[in-house]
Amino acid sequence: AQSVAQPEDQVNVAEGNPLTVKCTYSVSGNPYLFWYVQYPNRGLQFLLKYITGDNLVKGSYGFEAEFNKSQTSFHLKKPSALVSDSALYFCACNDYKLSFGAGTTVTVRA
Amino acid sequence: EAQVTQNPRYLITVTGKKLTVTCSQNMNHEYMSWYRQDPGLGLRQIYYSMNVEVTDKGDVPEGYKVSRKEKRNFPLILESPSPNQTSLYFCASGRTSGSGETQYFGPGTRLLVL
């Protein structure tokens, strides 16, 4: 069985501060991990994924994620958050199918 | 522009009235799937299709049907909708069903069943 967990329902940060959205995973084989973002009244947009190789993955809109095998985590990060980053973020793993976490609502205040 | 389209975007209906939500992709993807999004539950897969005429159940298939007669289209059918099917629905497609493949999502269909 495979699953991901997002331990925080909400994350609030001030504009310009670092943003971290947490994700932990549980998979039996090689982890294939994804981050998606959902802006208000929009569909899900792909941000980045980890397949293999470098533990630091760079994606769209200045986001990056760090794969940590020992901690079974795949946290999403952005060095300097923007108000426009306010959205719903989903972590997902894909072993034999795509399984999503419950989502984390990010609010960036001006 | 490469995209997944869904129609309608918003739909209000009544219990028992059959409805179809269409999904189409222009990327020649083999793999297509349907998800429903509910608060606190993330996205759950309803049905998926590995290719034309090949479909299978996901995690929450009860009350739904699908068909894949053409590669680009993957409609979701609710034969007799019930209020517990009120949700936000997403169609997605991917090049293949491979574990590392990215799935691309449509804009969503918000359904209210009265």
Side-chain angles (χ1 to χ4, degrees), chain A residues 30 32-34 36 38 41-46 49-51 88 90 93-103, chain B residues 9-10 31 35 37 40-45 58-59 88 90 97-108 110:
Chain A
N30 293 322
Y32 300 96
L33 300 165
F34 297 75
Y36 285 84
Q38 184 179 11
N41 299 315
R42 301 277 295 276
L44 272 74
Q45 296 181 31
F46 168 73
K49 68 180 178 182
Y50 172 82
I51 305 299
L88 181 58
F90 288 101
C93 61
N94 190 354
D95 189 0
Y96 57 93
K97 65 168 186 170
L98 199 59
S99 297
F100 287 85
Chain B
R9 294 288 313 277
Y10 304 92
Y31 185 84
Y35 297 84
Q37 181 184 351
L41 297 177
L43 280 81
R44 294 176 292 169
Q45 192 181 57
D59 295 321
L88 178 58
F90 288 104
S97 62
S99 298
E101 291 289 345
T102 301
Q103 289 191 38
Y104 298 93
F105 286 78
R110 191 169 291 280

Side-chain angles (χ1 to χ4, degrees), chain B residues 4-7 20-25 32-34 71-76 90-93 106:
Chain B
V4 179
T5 57
Q6 296 178 226
N7 282 291
T20 299
V21 184
T22 64
C23 172
S24 182
Q25 51 92 6
M32 297 185 75
S33 58
W34 276 102
K71 197 171 188 178
R72 63 183 292 129
N73 296 323
F74 190 46
L76 179 69
F90 288 104
C91 180
S93 74

Side-chain angles (χ1 to χ4, degrees), chain A residues 2-37:
Chain A
Q2 58 168 7
S3 65
V4 292
Q6 295 179 242
E8 299 164 317
D9 292 336
Q10 292 194 348
V11 170
N12 298 307
V13 298
E15 188 171 37
N17 282 1
L19 170 63
T20 298
V21 188
K22 296 180 180 177
C23 173
T24 58
Y25 67 89
S26 174
V27 299
S28 56
N30 293 322
Y32 300 96
L33 300 165
F34 297 75
W35 275 102
Y36 285 84
V37 60

